[in-house]
Amino acid sequence: MPIDAARAVAAEPRSATVTWDHKDIQLYHLGVGAGRPATDPDELRYTLESRLHVLPSFVTVAGAGRGVVSGITLPGLDIPLASVLHGGQRIALHRPIPLTGTATSTSRIAAVYDKGKAAVLVLRTEAADDDGPLWTSDSQLFVRGEGGFGGERGPSERLEVPGRAPDRTVERHIREDQALLYRLSGDLNPLHADPDFAKLAGFDRPILHGLCTYGTTLKAVIDTLLGGDVTRVRSYRARFAGVVFPGETLRIRMWDLPRGVQVVVTAADRDDAPVLADTLVETV
């Protein structure tokens, strides 16, 4: 059986030491579209070390994080990489991420859900340094063809879109080489670079990393509705509702609500095909 849910959840957590510095942060920021225009003072907060702050979604790649690849190699799992898609992501920030850091990262399978025709693995990663907890990250890994084993379906976290016009709508163009740049932060899944592998996975060409869209969206929210203040983000979650192809334009709709910013992201070039859904940036 490719997935032994009980064994996967009961397995001992894996721990590793992760380190990063300003160059890792700058590379990640460029990978999610920062630096356009290059001399814009607001963009220099993402690209120039003397003014640098840290986009909270950096935690998904800290220490060259490879969530999908590392998750499917844990005990109880025997899954081909081509059958795995990143279904969703949630991060919770316990305090601001330092520009330079060393932390202990502990990962485990927190849950396995049976969606009928697919399984969903929840890969939980917690990081802490000498001063205490830094972040908790939950990756939902969607494994096609591995459901039907009689497990729980799992909770529903669907958000109803507000019944009014968004407070802000912005568009962000994804460069043709965006996935090639983003993958240098650690996710080397060939799905995002190799046309032959993409076809094996059912796509006619490589797709953008879901986490690249995730980071691009958070940056847009911070820059547009949070006054550029990265420290206001308490948590951030999104469901990956559809793929993005490099060269497309994201349309990002935002609603400013009491608990944070709700977001819907679509592919403007494909009649607003869904990209990110059930997306919420909780703020302080």
Side-chain angles (χ1 to χ4, degrees):
M1 181 179 178
I3 296 179
D4 183 335
R7 184 182 175 208
V9 172
E12 286 293 320
R14 285 183 181 173
S15 294
T17 299
V18 297
T19 62
W20 64 92
D21 62 19
H22 69 87
K23 291 181 289 185
D24 301 304
I25 293 165
Q26 289 164 299
L27 178 61
Y28 173 74
H29 289 167
L30 292 172
V32 297
R36 292 180 286 174
T39 57
D40 186 325
D42 290 339
E43 293 301 311
L44 292 176
R45 296 175 302 181
Y46 295 98
T47 59
L48 185 62
E49 51 272 20
S50 61
R51 305 185 188 181
L52 202 60
H53 65 193
V54 184
L55 192 64
S57 52
F58 170 74
V59 306
T60 62
V61 302
R66 301 177 65 196
V68 172
V69 176
S70 64
I72 65 174
T73 62
L74 289 165
L77 306 175
D78 181 14
I79 303 167
L81 183 58
S83 69
V84 179
L85 290 175
H86 202 148
Q89 183 69 41
R90 181 182 186 275
I91 59 173
L93 287 303
H94 305 302
R95 52 193 166 90
I97 308 305
L99 296 177
T100 299
T102 297
T104 299
S105 172
T106 304
S107 299
R108 62 186 176 89
I109 297 295
V112 180
Y113 297 126
D114 186 347
K115 299 297 186 180
K117 295 183 179 180
V120 172
L121 312 176
V122 179
L123 174 65
R124 176 161 298 163
T125 300
E126 298 173 297
D129 64 10
D130 290 342
D131 295 324
L134 278 165
W135 68 80
T136 300
S137 174
D138 281 355
S139 301
Q140 291 86 45
L141 308 182
F142 187 86
V143 188
R144 294 175 293 183
E146 298 299 339
F149 54 85
E152 297 181 10
R153 282 193 59 84
S156 175
E157 296 185 336
R158 299 298 171 91
L159 294 176
E160 184 176 348
V161 177
R164 58 176 174 83
D167 294 298
R168 292 292 299 272
T169 299
V170 299
E171 293 187 350
R172 294 292 184 265
H173 179 69
I174 303 300
R175 300 193 313 269
E176 291 282 353
D177 63 350
Q178 194 92 35
L180 302 180
L181 178 59
Y182 180 85
R183 71 196 301 266
L184 298 181
S185 287
D187 188 345
L188 299 179
N189 187 339
L191 175 63
H192 309 293
D194 184 345
D196 292 334
F197 190 91
K199 289 178 182 177
L200 181 65
F203 302 100
D204 60 3
R205 54 194 168 108
I207 64 174
L208 189 69
H209 304 69
L211 286 179
C212 183
T213 302
Y214 182 82
T216 300
T217 298
L218 182 59
K219 180 179 182 298
V221 170
I222 289 171
D223 293 346
T224 304
L225 287 181
L226 301 186
D229 186 355
V230 296
T231 67
R232 290 191 60 194
V233 177
R234 181 174 64 185
S235 69
Y236 172 39
R237 67 178 172 99
R239 178 172 60 87
F240 302 127
V243 301
V244 175
F245 295 98
E248 294 185 331
T249 296
L250 301 177
R251 182 169 288 135
I252 304 170
R253 298 177 174 89
M254 309 175 218
W255 288 264
D256 197 359
L257 305 174
R259 62 172 173 164
V261 181
Q262 188 170 337
V263 189
V264 171
V265 183
T266 59
D269 313 77
R270 286 184 282 122
D271 299 321
D272 282 322
V275 172
L276 290 188
D278 305 319
T279 302
L280 181 67
V281 180
E282 291 189 292
T283 57
V284 294

